[in-house]
């Protein structure tokens, strides 16, 4: 595997020479020139991408040169040795960043340097102190799930060579799982195991995969569907399908059985506690997770109180709106919203064409939102956004919706996936806010504009991404839509407020579990009582926060920070404040940490004030 990594790096050197001959030569001669930081980070980014065949496939930029890179036939294999090597490289990288003198860097490059140092220091601490504190296999992510989504949704099959490459990747799956097992073994030596419920989910998920008939296996059925779209003879298509079936029933299933054996033999050691406070140096680990996820220095206690304050504010507005619409709030906002969710007027009928009807309604909402927000932005993305149903093989375990960014080469649009598994999961009053969050003016507008921003360096466009910024923007976009009057009625606003309440509750329960030592049951009770969500929804959410500590805090912290900076700019600039300018400023710098957003607004206020 290391040999393959070296080969890819050598091949990349050829590409870099072809693409950046003059630039790289001068970087070597004049390391401290103003543009050298961008070239250095671009080089590192491309090298990292070459070490990740999945990243190259996702970007789609070098698919045409697969004859050279061979990335479409490979999968990453992560091992403990890889983690050790990553730490060595991170330390070297951090020292190199310090060698770039700010005196010779542009303002944009100084920001880039701050971001790169922030990222390097966090990941170096993570790899040095907590390399095995996460849960590589869990109920919502891990090789056993990610590989299916990647091969079905990302790996392209546009011709025979890509159909053949798919088979090569199936052959590698067992080795990829072996790498995961090696990391799990190192983790077990340190006495780190997930809670019992994780083992229960893993056993069910892996058994479901192994027990399903071949024709229903998503790695087979989706592959056959894509083969049918190719201009190949029926005999040739059958040959490829047969090879896929043999691989799935052979090495692929063998790999899954290896994971299942780990689950069955290790569940006796399950962590009796739910929060990461129970792990070695768990409080420090959680503080690092909060810093990485929120890109702030807020303590767990501050975030917990922030959540409580927001819950109180949002509940007050929802209560007033519900009463205005003639609904009782005697049992609390959560109960009132739960009752609302049962009303037939807000639900689609369970007909054979329900999914196609809902997708069309979602697409219409996207079009309407796009048209109405355009006036409030100086630029709109060129890439379009398409609405699709979450694939059936994953809809039971997926969120209500999620977004996949467009490819850089323009061959794939942005995609908003809507989960249509349960009719009650799509009440009509909640559809608009999901569009605002996942599509426009949320994820698609922000991410597509970032990818299309030619003024940004490669590292700023693709190398660093802040969940606090991207998810914060998407949550800000929901509130913005209400402010701009894009909602159709008060029920749409209730949908937005319900979404906002949900994110505020996350601050409370995430910190409650991981810092205040709440049990899984305590967190479930608080979330169910406050939001009125169903038992199954609440359990799935709480279990997600347990295995992804701190991640759920990024949404609300990010949105509050963007709103805070907008209000600060308004107060300082008065009539000179321009919402379109503010949006361009916030969206024009990639997905920066929130402390960078504050610095950008500082500079914006100073510059505008000086011109008055």
């Amino acid at each position: 595997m290391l040999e393959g990594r070296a080969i890819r790096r050598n091949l990349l050197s050829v590409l870099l020479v072809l693409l950046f001959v003059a630039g790289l030569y001068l970087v070597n001669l004049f390391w401290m020139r103003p543009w050298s930081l961008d070239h250095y980070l671009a080089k590192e980014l491309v090298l990292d991408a070459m070490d990740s065949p999945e990243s190259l496939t996702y970007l789609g930029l070098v698919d045409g040169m697969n004859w050279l890179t061979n990335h479409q036939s490979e999968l990453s294999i992560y091992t403990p040795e890889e983690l050790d090597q990553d730490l060595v490289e991170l330390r070297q990288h951090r020292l190199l960043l310090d060698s770039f003198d700010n005196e010779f860097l542009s303002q944009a490059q100084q920001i880039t340097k701050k971001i790169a140092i922030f990222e390097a220091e966090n990941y170096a601490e993570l790899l040095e102190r907590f390399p095995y504190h996460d849960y590589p296999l869990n109920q919502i992510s891990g090789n056993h799930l990610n590989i299916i989504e990647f091969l079905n949704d990302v790996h392209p099959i546009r011709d025979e060579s890509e159909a053949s490459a798919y088979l090569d990747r199936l052959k590698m799956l067992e080795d990829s799982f072996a790498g995961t097992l090696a990391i799990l073994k190192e983790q077990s030596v340190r006495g780190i195991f997930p809670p019992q419920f994780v083992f229960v989910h893993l056993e069910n998920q892996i058994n479901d995969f192994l027990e399903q008939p071949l024709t229903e296996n998503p790695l087979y059925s989706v592959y056959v569907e894509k083969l049918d779209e190719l201009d190949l003879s029926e005999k040739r298509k059958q040959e490829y399908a047969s090879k896929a079936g043999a691989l799935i029933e052979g090495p692929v299933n063998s790999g899954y059985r290896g994971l299942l054996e780990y689950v069955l033999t290790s569940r006796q050691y399950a962590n009796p506690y739910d929060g990461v406070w129970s792990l070695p140096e768990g409080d420090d680990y959680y503080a690092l997770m909060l810093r990485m996820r929120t890109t702030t220095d807020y303590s767990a206690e501050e975030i917990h109180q922030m959540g409580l304050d927001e819950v109180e504010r949002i509940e007050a507005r929802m209560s007033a709106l519900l009463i205005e619409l003639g609904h009782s709030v005697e049992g609390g906002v959560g109960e009132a919203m739960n009752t609302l969710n049962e009303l037939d007027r807000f639900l689609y009928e369970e007909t054979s064409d329900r999914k196609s009807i809902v997708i069309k309604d979602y697409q219409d909402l996207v079009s309407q939102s796009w048209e109405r927000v355009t006036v409030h932005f100086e630029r709109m993305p060129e890439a379009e956004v398409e609405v699709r149903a979450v694939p059936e093989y994953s809809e039971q375990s997926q969120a209500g919706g999620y977004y996949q960014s467009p490819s850089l080469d323009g061959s794939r649009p942005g995609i908003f996936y809507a989960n249509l598994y349960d009719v009650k999961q799509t009440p009509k009053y909640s559809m608009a806010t999901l569009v605002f969050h996942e599509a426009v003016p949320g994820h698609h507008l922000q991410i597509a504009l970032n990818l299309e921003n030619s003024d940004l360096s490669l590292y700023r466009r693709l190398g660093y991404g802040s969940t606090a910024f991207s998810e914060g923007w998407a949550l800000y976009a929901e509130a913005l839509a209400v402010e701009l009057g894009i909602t159709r009625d008060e029920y749409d606003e209730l949908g937005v407020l319900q979404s906002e309440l949900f994110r505020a509750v996350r601050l409370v329960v995430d910190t409650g579990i991981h810092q205040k030592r709440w049990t899984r049951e305590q967190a479930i009770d608080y979330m169910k009582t406050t939001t009125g969500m169903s038992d199954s929804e609440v359990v799935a959410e709480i279990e997600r926060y347990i295995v992804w500590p701190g991640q759920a805090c990024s949404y609300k912290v990010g949105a509050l920070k963007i709103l805070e900076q907008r209000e600060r700019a308004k107060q300082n600039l008065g009539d000179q404040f321009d919402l379109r300018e503010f949006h361009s400023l916030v969206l024009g710098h990639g997905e920066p940490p929130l402390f960078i957003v504050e610095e950008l607004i500082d500079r914006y206020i100073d510059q505008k004030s000086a011109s008055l």
Side-chain angles (χ1 to χ4, degrees):
M1 194 275 297
L2 291 176
E3 180 183 0
R5 178 174 179 172
I7 290 172
R8 287 196 296 274
R9 284 189 174 244
N10 288 335
L11 291 174
L12 177 66
S13 297
V14 176
L15 292 176
L16 289 176
V17 168
L18 293 174
L19 296 173
F20 304 118
V21 173
L24 291 179
Y25 175 73
L26 292 174
V27 166
N28 289 329
L29 288 180
F30 305 104
W31 192 253
M32 303 305 292
R33 293 298 185 188
W35 33 258
S36 64
L37 174 66
D38 292 334
H39 279 161
Y40 164 68
L41 290 173
K43 174 177 70 69
E44 289 299 300
L45 177 61
V46 178
L47 285 169
D48 286 342
M50 290 301 291
D51 285 338
S52 172
E54 294 88 348
S55 294
L56 291 179
T57 299
Y58 187 84
L59 292 173
L61 283 176
V62 294
D63 284 350
M65 291 190 291
N66 187 63
W67 56 271
L68 178 63
T69 62
N70 200 41
H71 66 278
Q72 289 185 322
S73 295
E74 297 185 358
L75 294 173
S76 299
I77 302 177
Y78 297 106
T79 65
E81 292 76 21
E82 288 281 309
L83 295 178
D84 293 340
Q85 182 61 32
D86 285 347
L87 178 57
V88 171
E89 293 176 1
L90 264 174
R91 287 169 174 163
Q92 295 171 343
H93 173 63
R94 178 66 184 86
L95 290 173
L96 276 171
L97 289 173
D98 275 338
S99 71
F100 292 97
D101 191 337
N102 286 352
E103 182 180 350
F104 298 101
L105 300 179
S106 68
Q107 195 171 80
Q109 288 169 328
Q110 289 180 38
I111 293 174
T112 297
K113 180 180 173 181
K114 288 180 181 180
I115 295 173
I117 287 175
F118 177 76
E119 179 183 37
E121 288 182 343
N122 285 332
Y123 278 106
E125 182 178 353
L126 182 67
L127 287 175
E128 186 168 6
R129 298 182 62 191
F130 314 109
Y132 299 104
H133 272 55
D134 66 342
Y135 305 130
L137 291 184
N138 59 66
Q139 77 280 6
I140 52 175
S141 66
N143 226 356
H144 67 302
L145 297 176
N146 298 345
I147 193 66
I148 299 174
E149 180 179 349
F150 172 75
L151 287 175
N152 283 349
D153 297 343
V154 182
H155 180 99
I157 299 181
R158 297 164 291 196
D159 53 40
E160 188 170 1
S161 67
E162 291 178 341
S164 179
Y166 181 94
L167 299 179
D168 293 334
R169 278 178 156 159
L170 285 182
K171 293 175 188 175
M172 289 195 68
L173 194 146
E174 188 173 17
D175 289 340
S176 180
F177 284 174
T180 301
L181 287 170
I183 289 176
L184 289 168
K185 181 179 179 180
E186 287 296 320
Q187 188 177 56
S188 65
V189 169
R190 292 158 174 79
I192 297 176
F193 297 93
Q196 183 65 41
F197 73 83
V198 177
F199 286 103
V200 174
H201 285 302
L202 289 174
E203 181 179 356
N204 292 335
Q205 289 171 339
I206 297 173
N207 274 327
D208 286 347
F209 180 90
L210 290 170
E211 293 171 1
Q212 60 193 335
L214 177 64
T215 54
E216 297 177 16
N217 186 303
L219 291 178
Y220 179 84
S221 60
V222 176
Y223 181 62
V224 170
E225 289 176 9
K226 292 180 179 179
L227 284 176
D228 286 340
E229 298 175 2
L230 299 183
D231 185 19
L232 297 175
S233 68
E234 289 304 313
K235 179 181 178 182
R236 194 67 172 149
K237 290 177 183 177
Q238 186 56 49
E239 288 176 356
Y240 277 112
S242 296
K243 289 179 180 178
L247 287 169
I248 291 168
E249 292 180 333
V252 172
N253 281 354
S254 176
Y256 273 95
R257 282 192 289 269
L259 296 181
L260 181 61
E261 182 180 359
Y262 159 80
V263 171
L264 296 177
T265 57
S266 300
R267 61 184 177 185
Q268 61 183 309
Y269 306 112
N271 191 340
Y273 304 106
D274 298 300
V276 294
W277 59 264
S278 62
L279 303 181
E281 299 183 273
D283 288 338
D284 287 349
Y285 173 63
Y286 187 51
L288 176 61
M289 287 296 97
L290 288 178
R291 184 164 73 249
M292 293 178 71
R293 304 296 194 192
T294 71
T295 66
T296 70
D297 288 325
Y298 292 142
S299 68
E301 188 61 47
E302 289 174 312
I303 292 174
H304 189 81
Q305 188 60 49
M306 191 184 301
L308 292 173
D309 292 342
E310 281 295 287
V311 166
E312 183 179 357
R313 179 187 66 82
I314 298 164
E315 282 186 328
R317 172 57 184 157
M318 291 180 75
S319 292
L321 201 52
L322 284 162
I323 292 170
E324 180 183 328
L325 291 168
H327 300 281
S328 171
V329 292
E330 287 185 8
V333 166
E335 184 177 310
M337 293 303 294
N338 201 32
T339 300
L340 205 66
N341 196 46
E342 300 288 334
L343 298 179
D344 289 342
R345 60 184 286 201
F346 295 119
L347 300 177
Y348 286 89
E349 294 183 12
E350 275 285 19
T351 58
S352 59
D353 59 349
R354 174 179 66 85
K355 288 189 177 183
S356 61
I357 292 173
V358 177
I359 291 299
K360 181 183 182 302
D361 287 349
Y362 266 125
Q363 194 70 59
D364 288 344
L365 282 169
V366 169
S367 300
Q368 293 164 17
S369 180
W370 188 298
E371 180 181 352
R372 298 179 70 180
V373 304
T374 300
V375 68
H376 302 288
F377 292 85
E378 293 180 324
R379 280 187 59 226
M380 294 293 287
E382 296 179 10
E384 297 181 351
V385 58
E386 180 180 312
V387 184
R388 297 181 189 174
V390 170
E392 291 185 359
Y393 67 82
S394 64
E395 60 183 0
Q396 291 188 52
S397 59
Q398 277 289 358
Y402 60 91
Y403 173 77
Q404 184 182 90
S405 65
S407 60
L408 285 176
D409 63 0
S411 63
R412 185 182 67 243
I415 302 171
F416 159 33
Y417 285 97
N419 196 332
L420 308 182
Y421 173 69
D422 183 357
V423 67
K424 292 183 180 180
Q425 205 170 16
T426 315
K428 295 177 182 178
Y429 66 79
S430 72
M431 292 173 66
T433 191
L434 201 56
V435 165
F436 302 148
H437 186 101
E438 303 293 348
V440 179
H443 282 317
H444 178 69
L445 187 147
Q446 179 260 311
I447 292 173
L449 282 179
N450 177 51
L451 293 176
E452 295 168 10
N453 189 348
S454 59
D455 292 335
L456 287 176
S457 66
L458 189 64
Y459 172 77
R460 294 287 291 281
R461 290 167 69 193
L462 299 175
Y464 178 82
S466 162
T467 302
F469 181 87
S470 60
E471 294 295 352
W473 172 267
L475 190 53
Y476 164 80
E478 296 179 37
L480 178 68
V482 175
E483 291 178 27
L484 300 180
I486 297 172
T487 47
R488 296 164 296 183
D489 54 30
E490 289 85 352
Y491 285 105
D492 274 356
E493 183 180 352
L494 269 178
V496 170
L497 289 166
Q498 185 180 40
S499 170
E500 190 176 11
L501 177 65
F502 170 49
R503 272 44 179 259
V505 167
R506 281 177 162 180
L507 300 183
V508 179
V509 295
D510 195 288
T511 52
I513 293 165
H514 295 296
Q515 195 263 342
K516 292 185 173 296
R517 306 192 176 194
W518 286 13
T519 64
R520 171 178 172 275
E521 289 68 32
Q522 280 178 283
I524 288 172
D525 182 64
Y526 176 83
M527 180 170 240
K528 179 173 174 54
T529 302
T530 307
T531 65
M533 295 165 62
S534 68
D535 289 345
S536 60
E537 288 176 308
V538 171
V539 168
E541 285 296 324
I542 294 303
E543 291 181 347
R544 166 188 165 176
Y545 311 151
I546 290 171
V547 299
W548 280 359
Q551 193 272 347
C553 295
S554 57
Y555 298 67
K556 190 62 177 171
V557 170
L560 287 173
K561 182 62 69 174
I562 293 172
L563 281 167
E564 172 189 295
Q565 298 310 304
R566 191 184 73 178
E567 290 309 304
R568 188 162 66 90
K570 276 185 177 181
Q571 291 176 10
N572 280 274
L573 298 176
D575 293 340
Q576 295 300 310
F577 176 80
D578 186 320
L579 184 62
R580 286 161 53 91
E581 282 184 356
F582 175 81
H583 287 156
S584 291
L585 179 65
V586 171
L587 295 176
H589 295 268
E591 295 182 2
L594 298 179
F595 66 84
I596 293 295
V597 175
E598 290 189 71
E599 291 184 14
L600 291 170
I601 300 305
D602 284 339
R603 189 174 299 118
Y604 172 66
I605 292 172
D606 289 343
Q607 291 174 347
K608 291 282 286 189
S609 298
S611 64
L612 295 180

